[in-house]
Amino acid sequence: MANVKLTIDGKTVEAPANTLLIEAARRAGIEIPAFCYYEGLALQAACRMCLVEVEKAPKLMTACTLPVAEGMVVRTNTPQVAQARKSMLEFVLTNHPLDCPVCDKGGECELQDMVFRYGAGESRFLEVKQHVDEREWSPVVFYDRPRCILCFRCVRICAEGMGVAALGVVNRGASSEIAPNRGDHLECDECGMCIDICPVGALTSGTYRYRTRPWEMQHVGTICTHCADGCKTTLGIRNNRIHRGNNRDRSGVNGEFLCIKGRYAGDFAHHEERLLTPLVRSQDGFKPVSWAEAIKTVAGRFAEIRQRGGKFGVIGSNHTTNEENYYLQKLARTGLGTNNIDHHRTGDVLSLLRARVPLATTADLYHSKAVLIVGVDLAQQHSFLAYQIRANWRHHQARVYTVRRGPVREDKIAARIVSVEPGGELAGVETLRDDLAKEPELVILFGDAIQGEAVARLTEFGSSLGIPVKYVCLVDYSNSRGAVEMGVLPAEGGMTLPEMMAAGDLDALWVVGANPLRRHALAGKPFLVVQDLFLTETAQAADVVLPAASAYEKSGTVTNVCGEVQRLQKAFETPGTKTDLEIFGLIAREMGLDLKQLGPWTPSAVFAEIARTVPGYDLPVEVLEAGGAVQAGPSDGLPDAVWAPVQSAGDTLFTSGTLGRYSKMLNAVREAPGELYRA
Amino acid sequence: MTFSPELEAKFEKLLKSYPPGRQRSAVVPMLLYAQDELGSVTGELVEEVARRTGITPLEVNEVVSYYSMLSRQPRGKYHIQICTNISCLLTGGEELWEHACRKLGIGNKEVTPDGQFSLEEVECIGACSWAPALQVNYEFHHHMTPEKLDRLIDNLRKAV
Amino acid sequence: MLYNEPSPLEVKVLTRRFGLPNSQSLDTYLASDGYKAFRKAVEMGPEKVLEELKVSNLRGRGGAGFPTGMKWGFVPRNSPKPKYVVVNADEGEPGTCKDRLLMENDPHQLLEGMLIAGFVVDAHVGYIYVRGEYRYVIEILDRAIAEAYERGYLGKNILGTGFDFDVYTHTGAGSYECGEESALLESLEGKRGVPRIRPPFPAVAGLYQCPTVLNNVESFSAVPAIIRDGGAAFAALGTPKNGGTRLFCISGHVNKPGVYELPMGFNLLRMINEVAGGVRGGKKLKAVIPGGSSCPVLKAEECDISMDFDSLAKAKSMLGSGGVIVMDEDTCMVKAALRIMRFYQHESCGWCIPCREGTLWLRKLLARVHEGGGTQSDVPLIGELAKNMLGRTFCPLGDAAAMPTIAFVEKFREEFEAHLNGAPCPFESKPVSA
């Protein structure tokens, strides 16, 4: 669209025609205050904070609804505008309690900031304030009506952003209030988007409320350790405890998006069943031992088995870092001399990489003109990806196609919906051929319904459309993609995970951050070493259990479902635990392995080696260190890796594999475990 | 949820009054007509109207709580609405209101113990030139006085 | 049915059939030029009808006084979207009770006005949004509509013209705000009566986001007479730029309150004294609200004024919806201001901060002052708060609350001051009503 020139406070500003005045001003460095205006959400013109003078207009105009026009002359700094802002704040404060000293939002409240900048120093309101008691809508969401300024951000983010519409407005006039969808409580994603977007302390979270002050915490931006979408979450840490997660600085690929897991399910790290000391099996069960003794026990047995040419099996993790995954497979192959290494595969990344087709980024989901979702309930299982697509539909009118077994939330925004029986996904996709071929471009997302040969057939279909097509292979956990690319896969005749579990002749099985006994029986009696946060089913069967640090307690990188590599930042420590990388290093040293050849076990040193040796991972470290995300480049398709069937863990919004079992918040919400609940 | 045949016919007509896909338009009329039959907007009614118009119960509740004639609380068989807005105020509406409260022994939005009468102080009902005015259910009574109100209530009582 | 005696000073155009036997019936309507205007409009074609409307100087009778011909002209006749005709029969401005009479006594006149509007903008569906309290009016309209369908004045191929038109009534359920046109459309769509951001205006994006002609009952009801007798004849009844007659609703302290059809520009003092029989009980006139509660009050000495849009604007008040509220010397202006504010506070939709919070604050403040709990600084505060709302709210309801308040304080400041510091209301000893 053509640019227009206008004048704001005497400054000539150029902006595309139809830009809202408030945005044009912001881009020119002129702040026009607003509560209800929120970029990307429907316009309200309700708070009246953005009133400005526009030449030739008979009265003040709301900058949030006024498109810029050629020759427009705007003033935002006149006594009249200042007086209008002051009076709006005076009005809004009449019924707003001045309980800032005990309000969670104190110190980061937009109303406080506005009054500080534009408000009056004293109150002329002598009447009685309206009071309504605070209400608990769910373990996550609490609503305090008197603090609410009715900006309707929460209503809009829930309806427009999440596609849930669990919040509404009831009553009228000064009695108006926000209401939950089930009368006195909420049934929703429990994502907390409404809480974080609230400019004041009207919506507070069960996790954070009345716990601490914002300025008492350290704020550490790291990557959520639950699903594979790779959302940045900024953890608020005080006294080695997570008090909240949010992403108000919009620093990650996810902007301000987070689901319940990213915001509130970090509490697993503080669960009382967290392993804090190594355990060695004795006749009377587990015996707590020192780290030195535990490492000695493991290294001793490993060295002995290695020496006699015994058989090892190694099961890696979907949650550990790229550095840990890389180091583990290297240690297994060179140190233990085995190719029996695998992880729980939740999506057929391997086949997609082998197809050598373009891969979509999370940003592509927001920009692509068309999106095809095959065989997955995206809103449930990849909440952020679904959010991106929904935003794309709202902001760019993207056309969305769904091929699925039952109703999914994306149906509401779909241009076409294809219902299929299990196994009919590819045939379903084929029925969309004519529509898809007319699209200028396409991103295809697929889950475990498409695997092996079907992946090749899907990519052949995509290539035959004659338009640019990018792909996303959906995987479940925070670093499933990294586990594949770092080579936590059997090669050259190595055993796959199910094969290892069934072999019966393993001398040692080393399980890192995984719980295979949940899905598979273990044949034979190998020496079982488990590194984990909790005494999982697998850990309970172990000979040695080593308490591992969680993703929030370590540094390193992870690769999300779209192949975007991001850095974890260590947010706090849980005394007694060690990172998996450190544990690997200690075992290797104790075994007397060639440490020069293995390399130092620090994340940065390992990443440097990854950059040299793993195709596509020669990434700009400075971008990663600054908190950015970089999509790993084209990979060689891991020609040596052994293909195996994949199976999604089938997690919902309220489950997260083993980790989820230890999140009290995930289990406390009434929607849990979420039979793929539908909002 | 089942309604009287008359109300069902009314609903059917209403839902046909709006273009296809716009059945939400019928929400307010449906609620009001159903309230006339049920005495109040019940939770069950909210669910039913939501179902029939294809919106969520929350969306229906947003509407119910907005309109002053819709009530979640049951009203009396005779809902007496007395206007005290400016034109009625100037002609004795306030005295009329106070008289009604005393006569029935109830206050605003309250119901007599026998469930026969309820009172509501309402805003302008469009009878300003014939003030003070009130409505019993949907029936207008103009040029009211406390004496006429007494007779009205006594007659209604007899009708009970 | 009529609720007051007519006045010999009336000029009966819209009310010409009032009082006729069976005035609601189609036969009565037909016997008195009914549906002739529609036939004529079809012969004239849309352009000429619009021209005639413009010549008539008909200005919106809902309160804002926008020229009706212009408003209809904004509708993109050739838009591929369906177009709608919507009648605002959500009469709710305190002091106003005329649309009720127009619908009750001459429903076909309204239907014919809608038909003509539909023909002009190529709309084929019309809705009459009637306030919920007027249930009996809806029943009258429904009967008239049924009769019109039976006799071919609604439905397919009306009177062989090839023009199709359907009309439906729609009940409101208690909300003054729904009289604001965009809030009315929201309500008609089954939502809360919260206004929309404008532009776009209903002519372009109205009901279901489609082009919509939306006018007050009285505006539509004036259309048949204008088309039948010509725009010039209608215009000539009034003053320049203020065509025709108007239904004035006189209420309050007069001997003969009632609804009277008088030419635009009729003198207000004459209206009170000669049409409405003067102030009752021989009391002195203190003040008049000339056009419904949102219009700034006029002091007695300001009442020698021509009742048209422009003269009242010049006097810093408004003609509004024609509700003339007369107050005698015993009226407490603080109490009047309070009661009016209480109304706007009750009806504020709650969407925007200044209206939602401002009306509540002012209601509480005025109540405190009226009870004697005010101090000197409260009097200017009332005016300041109202001015802080004025022109800054999301929709005109905020202005409607602010404007009369400002006028009450400015024009009757001494009465407010007489209520301060524990003083009892000087008027409480005297009964408010005679």
Side-chain angles (χ1 to χ4, degrees):
Chain A
M1 193 158 292
N3 277 7
V4 297
K5 269 191 190 147
L6 65 154
T7 312
I8 308 177
D9 297 342
K11 192 169 164 182
T12 303
V13 172
E14 218 177 309
N18 281 337
T19 306
L20 294 171
L21 177 57
I22 195 167
E23 283 295 330
R26 278 181 189 179
R27 284 171 214 168
I30 297 164
E31 191 195 54
I32 299 176
F35 290 115
C36 70
Y37 174 75
Y38 202 86
E39 197 187 346
L41 298 180
L43 303 181
Q44 312 285 283
C47 75
R48 320 304 286 178
M49 279 303 294
C50 69
L51 290 168
V52 293
E53 278 180 40
V54 180
E55 235 173 60
K56 296 194 186 101
K59 53 186 191 178
L60 298 178
M61 307 286 279
T62 46
C64 72
T65 56
L66 189 64
V68 295
E70 184 65 38
M72 188 181 261
V73 179
V74 180
R75 291 184 196 86
T76 76
N77 54 5
T78 65
Q80 192 195 8
V81 171
Q83 197 276 337
R85 291 174 183 170
K86 192 170 156 183
S87 67
M88 289 313 139
L89 290 167
E90 184 178 37
F91 281 136
V92 83
L93 286 178
T94 56
N95 282 304
H96 186 92
L98 299 176
D99 63 347
C100 310
V102 294
C103 175
D104 282 330
K105 209 73 176 188
E108 46 186 16
C109 169
E110 293 179 40
L111 180 56
Q112 270 186 339
D113 296 348
M114 292 263 202
V115 175
F116 181 80
R117 273 185 218 133
Y118 309 112
E122 56 187 68
S123 170
R124 297 188 292 178
F125 184 75
L126 300 176
E127 323 307 325
V128 177
K129 285 178 189 266
Q130 302 207 118
H131 180 75
V132 183
D133 286 339
E134 189 187 40
R135 276 158 281 180
E136 178 179 351
W137 286 344
S138 80
V140 168
V141 188
F142 288 70
Y143 179 59
D144 186 321
R145 167 59 184 100
R147 287 182 189 155
C148 178
I149 61 169
L150 294 167
C151 67
F152 314 118
R153 286 186 195 176
C154 53
V155 175
R156 286 173 286 158
I157 197 70
C158 188
E160 299 170 27
M162 302 306 299
V164 174
L167 296 175
V169 187
V170 296
N171 304 336
R172 76 179 185 205
S175 306
S176 300
E177 58 184 35
I178 307 302
N181 59 353
R182 296 289 181 264
D184 61 348
H185 70 273
L186 272 171
E187 268 175 57
C188 64
D189 284 7
E190 305 283 357
C191 62
M193 291 292 282
C194 55
I195 298 170
D196 274 359
I197 206 167
C198 180
V200 295
L203 290 166
T204 54
S205 81
T207 302
Y208 177 65
R209 57 204 300 279
Y210 302 131
R211 300 279 157 80
T212 182
R213 307 303 280 164
W215 53 85
E216 292 173 326
M217 295 183 291
Q218 280 176 291
H219 304 278
V220 186
T222 189
I223 305 303
C224 173
T225 191
H226 290 283
C227 88
D229 293 359
C231 294
K232 170 77 65 75
T233 177
T234 302
L235 301 177
I237 306 292
R238 186 181 167 211
N239 298 337
N240 270 336
R241 259 193 107 78
I242 303 173
H243 286 279
R244 69 179 187 192
N246 68 30
N247 204 37
R248 289 307 293 158
D249 62 0
R250 308 186 192 188
S251 54
V253 292
N254 49 314
E256 64 195 327
F257 175 86
L258 279 175
C259 73
I260 181 172
K261 295 178 200 173
R263 276 204 181 80
Y264 307 117
D267 59 349
F268 70 83
H270 310 302
H271 196 281
E272 52 270 27
E273 290 173 35
R274 183 81 192 267
L275 294 171
L276 302 174
T277 176
L279 303 172
V280 173
R281 184 170 296 282
S282 70
Q283 280 175 339
D284 329 312
F286 282 128
K287 184 178 78 170
V289 297
S290 69
W291 269 102
E293 192 183 333
I295 295 291
K296 207 170 156 187
T297 308
V298 173
R301 284 298 295 277
F302 280 7
E304 176 256 310
I305 293 167
R306 170 88 217 254
Q307 212 159 24
R308 63 176 159 85
K311 213 167 173 182
F312 282 96
V314 178
I315 294 174
S317 173
N318 284 306
H319 283 296
T320 49
T321 64
N322 287 326
E323 292 74 7
E324 289 167 335
N325 290 340
Y326 180 86
Y327 199 91
L328 177 63
Q329 63 84 28
K330 189 175 177 187
L331 175 54
R333 293 196 159 98
T334 64
L336 306 181
T338 183
N339 250 328
N340 300 333
I341 178 164
D342 201 354
H343 67 284
H344 171 204
R345 305 186 203 186
T346 58
D348 198 356
V349 179
L350 194 54
S351 294
L352 183 65
L353 292 177
R354 282 177 177 165
R356 293 164 191 275
V357 288
L359 305 182
T361 60
T362 47
D364 288 332
L365 299 181
Y366 177 62
H367 291 292
S368 177
K369 305 273 184 225
V371 179
L372 166 64
I373 306 164
V374 186
V376 66
D377 189 336
L378 209 65
Q380 282 275 334
Q381 303 192 277
H382 293 275
S383 190
F384 168 53
L385 304 188
Y387 179 84
Q388 288 289 85
I389 294 167
R390 207 175 300 118
N392 190 2
W393 172 78
R394 282 189 296 127
H395 296 153
H396 313 130
Q397 295 77 49
R399 277 163 310 279
V400 179
Y401 299 86
T402 60
V403 175
R404 80 293 180 278
R405 296 169 189 183
V408 295
R409 195 181 300 168
E410 286 65 46
D411 289 352
K412 286 192 222 165
I413 59 170
R416 274 196 64 188
I417 302 163
V418 181
S419 293
V420 294
E421 294 298 317
E425 281 82 4
L426 269 181
V429 168
E430 186 60 47
T431 66
L432 293 171
R433 176 178 289 278
D434 292 347
D435 285 332
L436 296 176
K438 285 189 205 115
E439 296 292 352
E441 60 179 347
L442 181 67
V443 172
I444 302 178
L445 303 96
F446 62 93
D448 66 350
I450 304 286
Q451 54 177 294
E453 186 56 26
V455 175
R457 282 163 56 202
L458 182 68
T459 56
E460 278 159 24
F461 170 85
S463 305
S464 73
L465 293 173
I467 56 168
V469 181
K470 291 180 179 178
Y471 297 85
V472 179
C473 171
L474 299 166
V475 288
D476 285 342
Y477 300 110
S478 59
N479 203 22
S480 290
R481 178 70 178 264
V484 171
E485 289 180 325
M486 293 305 118
V488 184
L489 289 173
E492 295 161 6
M495 283 193 271
T496 64
L497 187 151
E499 286 166 354
M500 285 185 255
M501 296 300 286
D505 64 345
L506 291 180
D507 294 295
L509 180 61
W510 188 4
V511 178
V512 177
N515 187 16
L517 259 63
R518 178 97 168 149
R519 285 190 169 74
H520 306 269
L522 177 61
K525 284 287 292 174
F527 173 62
L528 181 57
V529 178
V530 173
Q531 296 177 204
D532 211 312
L533 280 69
F534 300 101
L535 208 57
T536 64
E537 289 86 340
T538 309
Q540 283 169 36
D543 295 291
V544 180
V545 182
L546 302 170
S550 76
Y552 299 142
E553 298 149 2
K554 60 171 80 157
S555 303
T557 63
V558 288
T559 306
N560 77 358
V561 63
C562 289
E564 291 161 323
V565 180
Q566 301 180 87
R567 217 167 146 245
L568 295 181
Q569 294 250 49
K570 179 176 171 178
F572 62 98
E573 278 183 352
T574 297
T577 66
K578 289 184 189 300
T579 68
D580 292 292
L581 187 59
E582 188 183 358
I583 299 171
F584 302 152
L586 293 174
I587 291 171
R589 188 173 66 187
E590 190 68 28
M591 282 177 73
L593 299 177
D594 181 354
L595 295 180
K596 229 181 215 142
Q597 193 262 337
L598 271 173
W601 54 84
T602 64
S604 56
V606 180
F607 190 78
E609 187 174 329
I610 292 171
R612 280 199 311 276
T613 60
V614 178
Y617 272 76
D618 186 12
L619 306 170
V621 175
E622 57 281 10
V623 176
L624 297 178
E625 281 184 349
V630 192
Q631 193 183 33
S635 122
D636 66 351
L638 300 152
D640 297 337
V642 177
W643 185 87
V646 303
Q647 193 193 356
S648 164
D651 277 319
T652 69
L653 274 170
F654 310 104
T655 65
S656 180
T658 305
L659 275 189
R661 284 147 61 186
Y662 296 93
S663 164
K664 290 183 179 172
M665 191 51 108
L666 274 187
N667 292 296
V669 297
R670 69 168 66 221
E671 298 86 354
E675 290 273 304
L676 295 186
Y677 103 106
R678 317 208 180 270
Chain B
M1 191 173 185
T2 51
F3 304 102
S4 68
E6 296 75 30
L7 190 57
E8 282 293 354
K10 192 134 207 159
F11 281 0
E12 199 185 323
K13 186 172 173 234
L14 268 172
L15 289 165
K16 282 191 200 142
S17 301
Y18 309 96
R22 305 292 187 181
Q23 275 49 54
R24 181 177 183 166
S25 278
V27 167
V28 172
M30 282 173 83
L31 288 166
L32 188 62
Y33 291 124
Q35 174 179 279
D36 292 343
E37 187 166 302
L38 302 174
S40 67
V41 177
T42 61
E44 199 187 0
L45 176 63
V46 167
E47 301 275 339
E48 184 68 15
V49 169
R51 199 179 60 73
R52 294 193 188 201
T53 56
I55 60 175
T56 65
L58 174 61
E59 287 171 311
V60 176
N61 271 325
E62 289 184 293
V63 166
V64 172
S65 59
Y66 180 88
Y67 294 93
S68 60
M69 288 176 71
L70 298 174
S71 174
R72 297 299 298 256
Q73 304 305 320
R75 289 169 169 166
K77 183 175 175 192
Y78 300 106
H79 185 53
I80 301 177
Q81 303 144 78
I82 299 180
C83 174
T84 60
N85 207 311
I86 184 76
S87 298
C88 288
L89 176 83
L90 294 173
T91 49
E94 214 170 40
E95 291 74 8
L96 193 64
W97 168 251
E98 284 161 8
H99 182 79
C101 291
R102 276 195 306 270
K103 168 102 179 162
L104 293 171
I106 53 174
N108 193 25
K109 297 188 182 179
E110 290 177 1
V111 189
T112 53
D114 61 2
Q116 293 301 313
F117 294 95
S118 52
L119 262 183
E120 185 173 357
E121 186 181 7
V122 294
E123 296 299 347
C124 183
I125 51 176
C128 319
S129 292
W130 318 292
L134 60 82
Q135 280 190 294
V136 178
N137 299 340
Y138 292 100
E139 193 182 326
F140 278 92
H141 295 267
H142 296 146
H143 301 298
M144 287 305 287
T145 61
E147 298 70 38
K148 282 162 117 176
L149 181 64
D150 284 344
R151 282 203 297 279
L152 176 66
I153 291 173
D154 292 343
N155 285 336
L156 290 172
R157 271 209 184 111
K158 274 181 220 152
V160 173
Chain C
M1 184 177 169
L2 297 178
Y3 305 107
N4 58 270
E5 285 296 309
S7 160
L9 294 171
E10 284 186 80
V11 175
K12 293 180 146 280
V13 180
L14 278 70
T15 60
R16 60 193 284 229
R17 294 179 199 88
F18 284 25
L20 292 181
N22 286 325
S23 74
Q24 302 164 352
S25 78
L26 182 56
D27 284 326
T28 307
Y29 190 62
L30 292 172
S32 153
D33 302 326
Y35 290 105
K36 280 186 186 160
F38 171 66
R39 289 178 200 269
K40 189 171 169 190
V42 174
E43 281 162 30
M44 288 163 71
E47 289 307 317
K48 278 202 174 137
V49 173
L50 272 184
E51 194 45 46
E52 217 51 52
L53 271 183
K54 283 175 190 166
V55 168
S56 77
N57 282 333
L58 173 64
R59 291 169 68 171
R61 300 305 196 225
F66 194 83
T68 305
M70 256 169 91
K71 201 170 179 181
W72 291 17
F74 292 147
V75 176
R77 198 177 190 278
N78 298 320
S79 161
K81 290 183 176 178
K83 282 143 237 122
Y84 295 98
V85 173
V86 177
V87 179
N88 185 343
D90 192 48
E91 181 164 69
E93 175 83 2
T96 317
C97 48
K98 62 184 175 69
D99 295 336
R100 186 180 148 194
L101 292 187
L102 284 168
M103 294 185 282
E104 177 178 346
N105 290 291
D106 200 349
H108 285 284
Q109 178 172 251
L110 171 62
L111 294 177
E112 188 175 9
M114 291 175 73
L115 264 181
I116 294 169
F119 172 73
V120 167
V121 303
D122 192 33
H124 302 282
V125 180
Y127 294 98
I128 310 174
Y129 183 106
V130 188
R131 65 177 301 181
E133 292 86 347
Y134 289 0
R135 174 65 61 82
Y136 81 100
V137 174
I138 295 176
E139 286 162 5
I140 290 168
L141 288 169
D142 282 341
R143 282 197 295 275
I145 290 168
E147 211 180 353
Y149 271 106
E150 270 166 36
R151 310 263 295 266
Y153 292 91
L154 281 177
K156 300 276 176 222
N157 189 18
I158 296 167
L159 305 181
T161 57
F163 180 68
D164 303 340
F165 200 72
D166 291 314
V167 173
Y168 305 96
T169 53
H170 178 106
T171 181
S175 164
Y176 167 75
E177 180 65 356
C178 290
E180 194 281 335
E181 61 181 14
S182 66
L184 182 146
L185 292 170
E186 285 287 294
S187 180
L188 185 48
E189 292 185 9
K191 300 171 196 163
R192 296 163 62 80
V194 173
R196 297 174 178 173
I197 294 169
R198 284 143 304 136
F201 291 95
V204 178
L207 184 61
Y208 312 127
Q209 293 302 311
C210 296
T212 302
V213 171
L214 206 173
N215 284 98
N216 174 257
V217 172
E218 190 182 347
S219 308
F220 278 112
S221 295
V223 172
I226 290 168
I227 300 307
R228 196 179 57 233
D229 303 331
F234 187 81
L237 295 171
T239 61
K241 291 190 193 164
N242 290 267
T245 57
R246 189 129 212 216
L247 272 69
F248 290 98
C249 322
I250 308 179
S251 68
H253 298 143
V254 289
N255 282 311
K256 292 196 276 181
V259 177
Y260 303 98
E261 184 174 14
L262 299 165
M264 276 287 205
F266 201 92
N267 182 279
L268 176 56
L269 274 185
R270 262 190 87 203
M271 202 182 284
I272 295 166
N273 293 323
E274 298 176 28
V275 178
V279 178
R280 69 184 188 187
K283 299 276 185 183
K284 263 170 63 188
L285 178 68
K286 182 189 246 178
V288 178
I289 298 172
S293 65
S294 57
C295 304
V297 65
L298 300 174
K299 295 178 90 160
E301 56 266 35
E302 295 174 290
C303 289
D304 187 6
I305 190 169
S306 160
M307 289 290 275
D308 61 74
F309 288 107
D310 304 313
S311 303
L312 279 160
K314 221 157 128 192
K316 297 198 167 122
S317 186
M318 298 188 304
L319 188 60
S321 54
V324 179
I325 305 163
V326 179
M327 295 179 275
D328 71 15
E329 58 187 312
D330 293 339
T331 313
C332 172
M333 301 314 262
V334 178
K335 187 158 189 175
L338 165 61
R339 186 62 189 84
I340 288 173
M341 186 53 67
R342 215 182 97 186
F343 166 71
Y344 288 108
Q345 194 272 318
H346 184 260
E347 300 299 333
S348 168
C349 78
W351 187 253
C352 76
I353 289 174
C355 178
R356 179 179 74 233
E357 307 294 343
T359 53
L360 182 61
W361 187 354
L362 278 166
R363 194 201 83 190
K364 288 179 175 177
L365 176 54
L366 284 163
R368 180 159 58 78
V369 168
H370 183 250
E371 283 161 14
T375 57
Q376 194 60 45
S377 63
D378 286 325
V379 180
L381 183 60
I382 295 166
E384 277 174 48
L385 295 179
K387 281 178 188 162
N388 285 345
M389 294 168 63
L390 191 65
R392 294 172 182 176
T393 53
F394 183 59
C395 83
L397 193 143
D399 291 342
M403 289 184 299
T405 309
I406 294 167
F408 275 119
V409 189
E410 282 180 356
K411 295 184 182 181
F412 297 96
R413 194 183 176 96
E414 68 291 345
E415 277 195 32
F416 284 79
E417 285 172 345
H419 280 80
L420 302 178
N421 305 317
C425 173
F427 299 92
E428 284 296 73
S429 53
K430 308 172 194 176
V432 174
S433 58

